[in-house]
Amino acid sequence: MTKTIDVNALPEFDEAGYLDSAEARAAYLSDAMQDGDPTEFRRALSQVARSLGMGEIAAEANVGRTSLYKSLGEQGDPKFSTVLRVMAAMGLGLSARPLDPAEMDPRQT
């Protein structure tokens, strides 16, 4: 006999609870950047900020708490300067790496 599970009854997965070290947060954001999708990166940045406390990150980044919620929210489009300040407040930085030819957009070659 097989027991069925109503997936609607399951709690929604919350990544923030698993981002408990600087290494985990950096790896999570790096993975989000791999696809080149700014929406996915913004969402990941929001999860990391939540894991550390939005209020604390906003204060450290010298950004209003409400403004940070809006910037990192579903309709948000944070300025690059905001992203850099928020990441620094998280103890993280950005880095560049050469792209593998398979990752390159053929329209740019």
Side-chain angles (χ1 to χ4, degrees):
M1 182 171 154
T2 309
K3 182 178 179 180
T4 60
I5 297 173
D6 179 8
V7 294
N8 293 322
L10 294 173
E12 190 170 322
F13 180 72
D14 184 10
E15 301 95 327
Y18 296 91
L19 302 171
D20 56 0
S21 69
E23 291 78 15
R25 292 186 288 272
Y28 184 66
L29 288 173
S30 292
D31 285 347
M33 281 190 276
Q34 290 295 320
D35 292 337
D37 180 355
T39 301
E40 185 59 30
F41 180 70
R42 185 227 7 101
R43 194 182 84 60
L45 196 61
S46 177
Q47 292 297 321
V48 174
R50 283 185 51 244
S51 77
L52 294 168
M54 282 287 220
E56 291 83 2
I57 295 300
E60 183 71 28
N62 199 24
V63 177
R65 188 171 186 261
T66 302
S67 177
L68 184 60
Y69 271 106
K70 285 182 183 178
S71 290
L72 301 182
E74 289 298 316
Q75 302 301 317
D77 189 14
K79 294 186 341 182
F80 189 63
S81 59
T82 301
V83 170
L84 292 177
R85 287 197 321 264
V86 167
M87 288 191 66
M90 296 173 176
L92 301 171
L94 290 176
S95 63
R97 65 174 175 77
L99 291 177
D100 182 303
E103 295 177 283
M104 297 188 68
D105 186 339
R107 295 172 294 186
Q108 296 178 2
T109 56

